Amino acid sequence: MSKANQAAKDRRQKLAELRRQQQAAERRRTILLVSLSVLIGLGLIGAAAAPIAIKWYNDPARKPVSAFGVSASAAACDPVIADPATGNGDHVGPGSQKPDVTTVRYATVPPTSGQHWAFPAPFERKFYTAQDRPRMEELVHNLEHGYTVVWYDDTIKGAELQALKDLAGKIPKDPRTSKFIVSAWDPAYGEFPAGKHVAMSRWTSKNGVRQLCGKVSGEAIAEFMKKYPQTDAPEPNGA
C-alpha cells in the first residue's frame, strides 16, 4: 500500500473514531437529560402527592376510636356511677302538659335521667359548642332513647376538642353506636368535680349511669358505650 493510500486510510479511521466518540457523548447527554427530567417529574409528583398522602394517613375515618385522645388509663376517669332512674315519659316544657316548666333541676352532674322536653335534640347533629348546644332537657330526652351523651367543659380546647369533633363524626357511622352526641356542658346545671372535664351519660332500662374523666379518651368512651349499648334504654326504638 502506498504512503498516500495509508494516510487516507488513517484519516478515515480517525474520522470514524471521532464520530463514534461524538455519538457516544451525545448518547450520554441524552441519557443524562432524560434521567434529570424523570427525577424532576417524580419530585414534582411527590411534592403534589405528599399532602394527599398525609391527609389520607391522618384521616379520622381510618383510625380506631381508641386512637383519639389519651388512653383510658391516662384519662383519670372515675369509676362508673349508677343513679336511680326517674322521669320516663315525664315531659315538661313546650308541647307538654307542663309548658311552664322549662328548666329541670337534675339531681346529678351530668344528668342520667329525669323530666325532659317532649322533643329531643336533632338526630342529625352530633357535635355542639357552647354557642349552639341544645337545652339540657332536650338531651335528657336523647338519653331516654338510648343515646350516649358526652359533655365537655370549657377547658377542653385545641387537640382535645378536635378529638371530640372527630369522634362525633366517626362513632355514629357504626349502626351499633349511631346514637351518640357530644355537647358543651352548661355550668348552669352544676359544676364538674375538681379535675374532671369530660363526662359520659346513659339512661339504661334499669338505671342511669355516668362516668367523669379528666381528659378526652376515645378508648374510655368506647369502653363505656360497649358496656352500656344503645339498645338498653327506656325507649330504645326512639330515633
Side-chain angles (χ1 to χ4, degrees):
M1 180 182 292
S2 66
K3 290 183 178 179
N5 290 337
Q6 183 63 47
K9 181 179 179 180
D10 291 343
R11 284 195 297 274
R12 288 196 296 271
Q13 290 177 340
K14 288 181 180 179
L15 288 173
E17 177 63 20
L18 285 173
R19 284 196 292 271
R20 186 190 66 79
Q21 292 176 358
Q22 289 174 348
Q23 290 171 349
E26 288 175 0
R27 285 195 296 270
R28 289 194 294 272
R29 284 195 295 270
T30 300
I31 292 172
L32 178 60
L33 288 173
V34 170
S35 299
L36 287 173
S37 298
V38 170
L39 288 173
I40 292 171
L42 290 174
L44 291 174
I45 292 172
I52 298 174
I54 292 172
K55 184 178 181 179
W56 177 84
Y57 180 79
N58 291 325
D59 183 1
R62 295 185 61 253
K63 297 180 180 180
V65 172
S66 59
F68 297 90
V70 301
S71 66
S73 60
C77 296
D78 287 343
V80 174
I81 301 170
D83 307 308
T86 63
N88 185 14
D90 189 355
H91 297 161
V92 298
S96 75
Q97 294 182 349
K98 303 174 185 177
D100 296 332
V101 181
T102 57
T103 300
V104 178
R105 296 303 174 189
Y106 293 102
T108 64
V109 174
T112 57
S113 68
Q115 291 181 320
H116 48 277
W117 281 14
F119 47 86
F123 307 127
E124 65 274 10
R125 286 288 302 275
K126 302 299 181 181
F127 181 85
Y128 294 94
T129 68
Q131 286 69 46
D132 61 10
R133 63 189 169 211
R135 288 286 301 248
M136 193 72 65
E137 293 78 11
E138 293 177 82
L139 288 171
V140 171
H141 197 152
N142 290 86
L143 290 175
E144 188 181 39
H145 287 187
Y147 276 73
T148 295
V149 179
V150 176
W151 281 282
Y152 63 96
D153 69 13
D154 59 7
T155 69
I156 300 298
K157 301 175 181 178
E160 281 198 294
L161 185 60
Q162 186 61 53
L164 284 177
K165 289 181 180 179
D166 290 339
L167 285 168
K170 179 181 179 65
I171 291 177
K173 292 181 179 179
D174 185 336
R176 297 168 298 179
T177 56
S178 60
K179 293 184 174 183
F180 181 77
I181 288 177
V182 177
S183 179
W185 174 251
D186 184 349
Y189 288 82
E191 298 289 340
F192 285 174
K196 306 303 174 185
H197 307 289
V198 181
M200 298 169 274
S201 288
R202 277 282 287 106
W203 185 346
T204 76
S205 57
K206 295 181 179 179
N207 52 28
V209 289
R210 55 195 163 104
Q211 187 173 28
L212 292 98
C213 301
K215 297 181 179 180
V216 174
S217 170
E219 184 179 16
I221 292 171
E223 290 176 358
F224 183 85
M225 295 183 74
K226 183 178 180 180
K227 190 172 182 180
Y228 305 104
Q230 63 191 35
T231 52
D232 180 16
E235 299 179 8
N237 295 324

